[in-house]
Structure formats: C-alpha cells, structure tokens
Amino acid sequence: MTHPARVHIRRDSPENSAGRFVLYWMQQAQRARANPALEEAVRLADERGLPVVVGFGLDEHYPDANLRHFAFMLEGLAETARELEERGIGFVLRRGRPPEVALDLARHARILVCDRGYLRHQRQWRDLVAERAPCPVVEVEGEVVVPVEAASDRAEIGARTLRPKIRRLLDAFLDLPDERGPRRRAAADLETLLDPDDPEALLATLDVDRSVLPVRRFRGGTSEAEARLARFLEERLEGYAEARNDPGRAATSELSPYLHFGQISPVAVAVAVQGSGAGSPQDRAAFLEELVVRRELSCNFTWHVEDYDRFSALPGWARATLSAHAGDPRPALYDIEELEAADTHDPAWNAAMREMRETGYMHNYMRMYWGKKILEWSRSPEEAFATALRLDNRWFLDGRDPNGYAGVAWCFGLHDRPWPERPVFGKVRSMTAAGLARKFDVGAYIRRVDALLRAEDGKQMTEDG
DNA sequence: ATCGGCTCGCGCAA
DNA sequence: TGCGCGAAGCCGAT
C-alpha cells in the first residue's frame, strides 16, 4: 500500500465534470509496474467508473538531452505502453513541453495525477500544471524510498547527518503499491505519436542533438532493468561490500540508467535486495547505503540547494580553499575537447572517459577520480565544475540526474570534509594516479573498458569468447 | 603493511 | 563547552 506521505494534493479545485478519464501525466516514473502515481490514478478512476489515460510529453529540446538518451527512453516507453495496453490503459505520447502536453490533455480529465522530479525544471513544470489545470492535481512520489521532505527539511551536510533520519523511516517506506486488475479501454480518440512496436520510427523523426550515439551496453526498459536486478542478486550481491569499489571488477548493479528514467522503482529494488537470501548482511547493507542513503542525499541536495548546478552551491570552506588555490600551477592543462577525446597523459583517466563516451556509463569509483582530475587539470575550479557537469550530462545515460549534480559537486568538496592542504585542491580531498594504483589493478580496469568498447563496435559479439 | 596526522562542523554528552 | 567522528584522501614514519 502506498504510504500517505507520498501523496500531495497540488491543486484542490472541483473535479472537471466534463472529464472523460483520469489522466496520469507520466514524466519521471516511466514504468507500468511498482508505480504509485499510476496506481493512484487507477484507484481514483475506479471510484468514478472512469478509464485511465497515461500522457507523456516528449520534449525534443529537453535540457542537455541527445539521441543516446532519447533512444534509451523510447525503448522503455514502448515497453511501458505495451504493458499499459494489456491492463486496458491508454498511452498517449505527444511532442511538446511536458506541462503544455499535460494541460492540453487535462481539458478532458476529471482529475490529473502526476509523478515527481527533483531538478529545477521538473519542479517548475509541476508548479505550472498545478497552477493552470482545470481539475484537481495530485502529485505522487515514487522515485525515492523515503520522500525528501519526510527525511529532512534542510540541506544535509553529509551522509552521516542524513543516514539516521533515513534509517528511522526506512521500513515504513518500503511500500509497494497494490496493483488492480485489467480494466476497460479508454476512449481511443486520443492521438499518440509512439507505435509501441516500433519506437525507432519515432526516434528517426525527432529533431534532437544526434552527435551522441545510442549504446549497445544498455537497452532501455523495465524488463531489462529487472533482468539486471535479478543478475545482480544472483551473481554480484555476494561480496558486494568488498568488491563494489574495484573498477577492475564488474561487481555493481548498473541500475542507475534505469532508475534515472524511472524504468524501475527504487522501492522495488530495495525490497528485492532486503528480501534476498544472497550475500551477507554487510553486502545488503552496503547496497542499501548506495541505493537509499547516497542516492537520496543527492535528491536532498538538488531539492534544498537552489544553485545545485553551479560552483556557488559548494560549502563555504570548499569554495574558499579552491579559490585560494586558483592561481596554483597545474600539473597539466586540458580543454574540454581534449578531455572529451580522452587525450590526456593518464591511461586510467582516458579509459574512464572512453567508458563514459562510448558506453554511456562509468564505474562509480572512476567517476570520483575522473572529476578530481578535471579539477586538477583545468584553469580554474569554476571552469572545472562547468566542464565536469557538461560532460556528465552529455555522455551518461544517467546524467542530468540529481546523482550527477551531487556526484560532480562531491569532487569539489560537497558532502565531504576538509583534508590536508595540497596544490590546486586546497583542502578538498585529492586523488592521485599513485593512490589508484596502490588500491586497485588499474590494468584490469583498462582491459575491461577495452572489452566493453569492442562490444560497442560489434567486433566481439560472443558471450563466452 | 599499518598508522597517525592533516582539517571543519555537526550532533551529542555534559 | 568539549569531544568524537566523518564516502572512497595522501604522505611519511615505523
């Protein structure tokens, strides 16, 4: 059952008596399963004997989105549309700014239900819809385990201050929504652009940035996400606490692209891991730390810090120390084109950049090293911050996400503490190639990336080599 | 190989 | 008001 704290009445106006259906404006939670917003729409529709229509606004000019993101998203939406169809729920995809698509469909809706996002524009879209809809608007949180405002009313200083607050509430928010049975079809007079059996046809017509190509490594969709979760539980949870930080080993869940597009529910993942017989209690705790504490600390950051995508969002001590060292000589200087081309003197860094560029993903430990080096190799910390964010948002399938903003900012001192003063970094935690080599087999990571790149090229397609 | 020191601010005990 | 301690650090001393 959905926890009542997930549900917010955003507009408390009389129901639209001319409404023919309950509208679920789907934007963030792009899935047909374990979706509390969808199930709330179904419940409201059942009470009124109405059909449910799911509407999605596809914005070709969505901030920083490119062909790679759209290909992954449309694969997922096609599957979601097919699953909704099986439940007798219509799926309508239209081009346009999401709030405009939602408001247009809302003219025929008795009630509008929406989901939730934690970035600036996602909040603005929902504010606009709540302000202008001709019917009640209900917002349902389904993208974090513990809703951000239930967990904390302020910008947390670090994981250590958020962790106890999350822990207290965790069990109450492992709440999967009840799913109701099939229903009668919605009125079929609503035009949609997506053929659920051929998402590529729509992709081909989109006026989007085509300079970033789709990847083979990640196929979009809920069933793919669930297959990865199952593989993680079977093969990777055992030993996760110890292996997760070694970039040379494929020991992580690699679920972040699916979580970013809402193709899998974080609550469903948490429940599956907690209920799994695999791994030790430490392994399960280590994964829940990543999935819940760290991921939701990122949402706390973008929710409470207005300028989360700028240098000014960093804590005062970090800004002060980085500025004090802005004039230090750099061991190397690269511009954004050289970085993007993975053309530096550092083989481990280059491998990380290629993993990002060619496969849309990077091992989490390398994300830290990658960002720390951009700080070290740029003319100023402000420029480094902007460069890291640009690359993050452009190449990652899970970019343009609270985790991306918090992850980049962490490299510049966010959610961290001061460390001994060093050139360029000041008191911000540094990382070095020597440290990387001390802890891990860097060659193993480089070889693993080489294999991933060959798979992208299609030169090595067999599973067992 | 392991250990302490580096540094700031929160949260809790006193 | 004092004290412990923290996402993954580094370095130099044992």
Side-chain angles (χ1 to χ4, degrees):
Chain A
M1 258 253 300
T2 298
H3 193 293
R6 292 195 192 278
V7 182
H8 302 266
I9 311 295
R10 292 295 309 270
R11 184 184 181 86
D12 194 11
S13 63
E15 292 185 21
N16 177 4
S17 53
R20 315 196 311 263
F21 49 78
V22 169
L23 173 65
Y24 167 29
W25 167 37
M26 172 187 282
Q27 205 65 50
Q28 181 61 34
Q30 299 171 21
R31 61 183 182 273
R33 294 180 219 166
N35 183 337
L38 172 65
E39 301 310 329
E40 179 67 6
V42 168
R43 191 184 67 81
L44 292 168
D46 280 356
E47 281 176 6
R48 289 158 182 80
L50 291 171
V52 177
V53 167
V54 174
F56 185 92
L58 187 145
D59 183 357
E60 288 155 298
H61 306 292
Y62 189 101
D64 290 316
N66 56 51
L67 192 66
R68 172 172 295 177
H69 304 116
F70 282 106
F72 186 90
M73 183 174 81
L74 287 178
E75 283 167 358
L77 285 174
E79 183 184 351
T80 294
R82 291 195 299 271
E83 286 199 9
L84 291 170
E85 193 100 342
E86 283 164 24
R87 289 179 68 183
I89 297 169
F91 181 83
V92 175
L93 183 145
R94 292 189 181 169
R95 268 194 179 93
R97 291 191 65 239
E100 286 160 18
V101 170
L103 287 169
D104 188 53
L105 288 168
R107 290 181 297 134
H108 313 290
R110 184 80 63 92
I111 302 174
L112 186 156
V113 179
C114 64
D115 47 35
R116 197 154 210 221
Y118 294 99
L119 301 181
R120 195 178 297 122
H121 60 276
Q122 296 174 317
R123 280 189 271 166
Q124 286 167 352
W125 289 345
R126 285 160 183 84
D127 291 346
L128 191 67
V129 167
E131 196 181 302
R132 305 230 179 118
C135 61
V137 174
V138 183
E139 186 177 276
V140 186
E141 152 50 44
E143 299 322 286
V144 292
V145 177
V146 179
V148 280
E149 62 272 79
S152 167
D153 58 4
R154 62 203 202 86
E156 293 292 336
I157 192 83
R160 73 177 191 279
T161 54
L162 182 62
R163 190 176 297 114
K165 299 176 184 178
I166 295 257
R167 285 255 169 84
R168 277 199 290 277
L169 299 169
L170 185 62
D171 285 344
F173 285 103
L174 293 174
D175 59 331
L176 289 167
D178 302 321
E179 291 184 17
R180 298 184 170 216
R183 48 203 310 99
R184 69 169 196 268
R185 288 292 307 273
D189 59 345
L190 292 166
E191 214 180 309
T192 179
L193 286 174
L194 178 67
D195 174 357
D197 295 317
D198 190 8
E200 298 239 341
L202 174 57
L203 189 65
T205 70
L206 294 182
D207 174 28
V208 299
D209 172 6
R210 294 182 172 264
S211 65
V212 179
L213 296 178
V215 299
R216 295 188 186 208
R217 185 178 182 186
F218 296 95
R219 163 169 283 279
T222 298
S223 57
E224 181 66 24
E226 288 177 347
R228 279 174 184 268
L229 173 59
R231 183 189 62 182
F232 177 73
L233 296 175
E234 280 165 33
E235 300 173 9
R236 299 184 178 183
L237 185 52
E238 171 87 55
Y240 178 81
E242 185 245 319
R244 77 196 144 115
N245 268 343
D246 186 343
R249 295 160 72 175
T252 61
S253 72
E254 297 175 356
L255 284 175
S256 56
Y258 303 91
L259 289 163
H260 169 70
F261 286 96
Q263 294 175 359
I264 193 165
S265 148
V267 176
V269 175
V271 167
V273 168
Q274 211 175 46
S276 165
S280 66
Q282 291 90 323
D283 291 328
R284 289 194 291 274
F287 184 80
L288 290 175
E289 169 76 12
E290 305 294 326
L291 177 75
V292 187
V293 177
R294 298 304 312 191
R295 181 168 180 270
E296 297 181 10
L297 180 59
S298 301
C299 297
N300 172 276
F301 172 59
T302 58
W303 183 256
H304 289 286
V305 180
E306 191 56 44
D307 49 353
Y308 58 77
D309 51 355
R310 290 197 292 276
F311 186 78
S312 52
L314 299 174
W317 69 265
R319 269 182 289 131
T321 192
L322 289 172
S323 297
H325 287 267
D328 291 0
R330 271 56 179 160
L333 272 180
Y334 299 107
D335 57 34
I336 192 168
E337 287 79 19
E338 291 169 306
L339 294 170
E340 206 157 33
D343 189 16
T344 78
H345 65 280
D346 181 336
W349 194 94
N350 291 345
M353 184 66 231
R354 289 162 78 205
E355 184 184 12
M356 175 190 221
R357 201 183 64 211
E358 303 302 323
T359 81
Y361 188 84
M362 191 193 296
H363 188 280
N364 190 51
Y365 193 89
M366 295 309 294
R367 293 188 189 211
M368 295 186 275
Y369 183 75
W370 175 87
K372 294 286 186 186
K373 289 295 147 187
I374 292 177
L375 167 57
E376 195 177 14
W377 299 337
S378 296
R379 271 173 195 83
S380 71
E382 291 87 350
E383 184 185 312
F385 192 95
T387 297
L389 217 41
R390 261 291 303 292
L391 296 178
D392 196 285
N393 287 348
R394 177 165 154 88
W395 297 105
F396 278 145
L397 276 173
D398 54 20
R400 309 161 306 127
D401 185 279
N403 282 279
Y405 294 101
V408 165
W410 180 85
C411 296
F412 294 75
L414 177 75
H415 297 153
D416 205 3
R417 61 178 162 130
W419 295 86
E421 206 154 2
R422 302 174 58 75
V424 188
F425 291 95
K427 293 170 188 169
V428 168
R429 181 198 302 261
S430 64
M431 283 188 172
T432 61
L436 204 61
R438 202 182 308 128
K439 282 202 258 311
F440 309 112
D441 181 351
V442 172
Y445 174 64
I446 293 171
R447 286 192 297 278
R448 195 162 73 78
V449 170
D450 282 343
L452 288 166
L453 298 190
R454 282 196 299 277
E456 282 299 327
D457 287 345
K459 285 174 194 145
Q460 182 183 301
M461 297 304 290
T462 52
E463 293 263 327
D464 52 9

